Amino acid sequence: KSGAAVPASRRTQAVMSARFALYFAPVRGSLLARFGAAWLGRDAESGAPLAPPAVPGFDPARLAALTEAPRHYGFHGTLKPPFQLADGSDAAELRAALAVFAARQAAFTIPQLALRQIGDFLAFVPAHEVPALARLADACVSEFESFRAPPAATELARRQAAGLTPRQSALLARWGYPYVMEEFRFHLTLTGPVPEAPERNRLAAALAPLAAPVLAEAVPVQELCLFQQADRAAPFRLTDRFAFAA
């Protein structure tokens, strides 16, 4: 029945399967935010589906397939990767800690983004090194570590199977993710894997003029965003924005 109480065991299971992530998301309503949401076909904050732009040489079905993976996560740049809450922690405590942390951070700017190929996918990355961005990511990883439950052995094994360096394996064991600290590379993912180089190059060439107005603007980093998913099958939603100090 619609009004029936949910058993405690099911409520506990739902809480335990939920994941949180600390991400950069563009300022609400900004050109970058609008472009990223439309490109992926979903607004992570409202949850609304969006019509992606027309891309010469790519039919909508193919483009939807190429953006399926990042659409699940929403348009973002990772600061602390997705995690389940540790025993004894809850979402209210996490939000309270995020508010305190954000109030201590000074806003800064990424002067310019660039469209790049990273391995077999496309992303926006800072055109030049931004030390403040690396410091912010390091702080997010370390300061919220007490909220992170250890990953399952199967997840660790899956990541190890990807062929990690010894240092990446050590970071995985310590922080639950191999691409943090000195291995961190900030990026705003635009596609999932595009294995064939000719198609990847064609997509990059078609995307470049569409992205040109976005890449001409500086990007303010002035808040920390909390994303959440109810379970691994559910898309991530941007649930909270925590403003930095002026």
Side-chain angles (χ1 to χ4, degrees):
K1 297 179 180 179
S2 60
V6 178
S9 59
R10 287 176 55 192
R11 292 199 303 271
T12 301
Q13 184 179 23
V15 170
M16 292 181 64
S17 62
R19 289 199 302 170
F20 298 83
L22 309 186
Y23 288 160
F24 162 83
V27 173
R28 186 187 292 113
S30 66
L31 181 61
L32 179 59
R34 297 196 308 272
F35 178 89
W39 173 257
L40 296 184
R42 181 175 73 91
D43 185 318
E45 196 154 12
S46 69
L50 300 171
V55 180
F58 290 85
D59 64 53
R62 181 55 181 159
L63 190 62
L66 293 174
T67 56
E68 179 180 6
R71 182 163 52 252
H72 180 76
Y73 289 88
F75 189 62
H76 75 279
T78 299
L79 297 172
K80 185 173 181 66
F83 59 94
Q84 290 181 282
L85 287 176
D87 290 343
S89 297
D90 63 36
E93 292 172 339
L94 175 61
R95 288 183 170 89
L98 284 166
V100 171
F101 173 85
R104 301 199 313 261
Q105 308 306 309
F108 61 93
T109 298
I110 301 171
Q112 186 178 15
L113 292 174
L115 174 62
R116 295 283 187 267
Q117 296 188 25
I118 303 178
D120 59 3
F121 67 94
L122 302 179
F124 290 150
V125 303
H128 305 286
E129 185 177 357
V130 183
L133 194 52
R135 290 195 296 269
L136 175 62
D138 290 353
C140 286
V141 168
S142 60
E143 294 207 21
F144 294 93
E145 184 64 1
S146 63
F147 287 95
R148 180 182 68 86
T154 52
E155 182 175 349
L156 293 174
R158 178 179 62 83
R159 293 201 178 279
Q160 288 286 6
L164 302 180
T165 66
R167 179 55 181 158
Q168 289 166 351
S169 294
L171 292 169
L172 175 64
R174 174 64 183 88
W175 303 109
Y177 195 71
Y179 308 111
V180 295
M181 303 306 178
E182 72 271 19
E183 294 288 332
F184 170 75
R185 182 177 182 184
F186 180 83
H187 59 278
L188 300 159
T189 306
L190 297 170
T191 73
V194 189
E196 299 299 327
E199 183 179 38
R200 192 165 62 247
N201 293 336
R202 283 196 301 110
L203 182 58
L207 176 56
L210 299 176
V214 176
L215 301 182
E217 292 194 345
V219 179
V221 181
Q222 60 188 37
E223 55 195 5
L224 180 59
C225 294
L226 179 65
F227 280 56
Q228 181 178 352
Q229 67 175 167
D231 56 59
R232 289 181 183 250
F236 274 87
R237 290 285 302 273
L238 195 172
T239 59
D240 302 86
R241 292 176 179 266
F242 299 92
F244 291 173

